[in-house]
Amino acid sequence: MSSRANGRWSVRAWISAAIATIVVSGSVNAADLAPVYKAAPAVAAPVAYSWTGFYLGGNVGVIWNDTRADPLSFTTTGVDFSGRQAVGQFPSFNVRDTAFTGGAQAGYNFQFGSNWVAGIEADINYSGLKKTDTRVFPVTPFIGGGFIDANTESATQKLGWLGTVRGRLGFTTLNNRLLAFATAGLAYGQVDDSIYTIGVPNGAGPFLISASSSSVRVGWTAGGGLEYAFASNWRAKVEYLYYDLGRRNLTLDYAPIPGDANNTITYKFHNNGNLVRVGLNYNF
């Protein structure tokens, strides 16, 4: 009995040891098969758009002025000029106009302090501004007797082209792609101002008296706008500018007319206006 018992115990011990070995081995294998989690690689942050660099582009828009030619002063040796002014002659002329403008621009931007952009821009634009205001005055009875002679008076102003050289300063938003800017600087343009009168003063004539000036006028400009970088090298913009090319005085001298040797009248022309335009720039 003792030997059988010992045999059974040996078998049981061997089976128990084998089961324990299998269990331990299975646990180890299960641990080896457990998934290992690793941190995902860091994604590089997108590079913000940079405004630094040279650019070249074109623009189209609308230009308008709200200008006039005003009688500034006159000299007279008699009552003729005073009388004509009393009945409405020598008026202020309305030479305001609205027209198309278009041209090209070039510039350079420098970005600093993450969101600030400073730069300089030069442009040259065609202008279609040209306006003539003509007044026709019939023979008019003069207070106290007599008549004011029939007369036609006319004033014209034309802006053939306009150029600017401006500084720009702006701030970017929308991941550095939208620039809001202010701008100011030099303005210059080809301005033609003219005035004339034609009639039969003092019963003689007809006579034509005129004065004109055509030259490049220099002044100043200021405004602002928005520019958006919609692609890596392309930007679209919209801007407003006010320009002022100063004043010009033109004097009508009636010396050729008998009896009006010392009669003159001076008109002051205002040369200022506004423009709104859209443009497209390519950044190099």
Side-chain angles (χ1 to χ4, degrees), residues 183-274:
T183 181
L186 177 75
Y188 57 98
Q190 177 67 43
V191 180
D192 300 334
D193 293 325
S194 63
I195 190 166
Y196 76 82
T197 179
I198 185 171
V200 286
N202 304 317
F207 286 91
L208 172 64
I209 305 299
S210 64
S212 63
S213 177
S214 177
S215 64
V216 175
R217 303 283 296 175
V218 178
W220 61 274
T221 182
L226 297 171
E227 190 166 353
Y228 181 69
F230 62 89
S232 58
N233 293 98
W234 290 99
R235 303 196 298 260
K237 72 170 183 176
V238 57
E239 68 180 349
Y240 162 81
L241 291 178
Y242 172 82
Y243 68 89
D244 191 331
L245 301 179
R247 311 289 184 265
R248 175 156 42 195
N249 295 338
L250 295 179
T251 299
L252 294 172
D253 187 352
Y254 284 71
I257 301 175
D260 285 331
N262 296 313
N263 287 347
T264 66
I265 182 166
T266 299
Y267 272 85
K268 178 173 66 176
F269 283 77
H270 307 259
N271 300 294
N272 57 285
N274 311 264

Side-chain angles (χ1 to χ4, degrees), residues 154-169:
S154 183
T156 300
Q157 184 176 79
K158 176 184 177 181
L159 178 64
W161 53 266
L162 178 70
T164 72
V165 179
R166 295 170 285 109
R168 302 202 313 170
L169 179 63

Side-chain angles (χ1 to χ4, degrees), residues 101-162:
T101 184
Q105 69 271 350
Y108 180 81
N109 287 322
F110 174 73
Q111 186 164 347
F112 63 98
S114 299
N115 296 98
W116 289 97
V117 176
I120 186 169
E121 180 174 289
D123 62 73
I124 188 76
N125 275 51
Y126 161 82
S127 167
L129 287 177
K130 183 180 181 181
K131 178 66 178 295
T132 298
D133 185 16
T134 301
R135 312 289 179 87
V136 178
F137 301 95
V139 174
T140 306
F142 180 59
I143 300 172
F147 295 90
I148 303 298
D149 300 302
N151 192 50
T152 299
E153 301 172 17
S154 183
T156 300
Q157 184 176 79
K158 176 184 177 181
L159 178 64
W161 53 266
L162 178 70

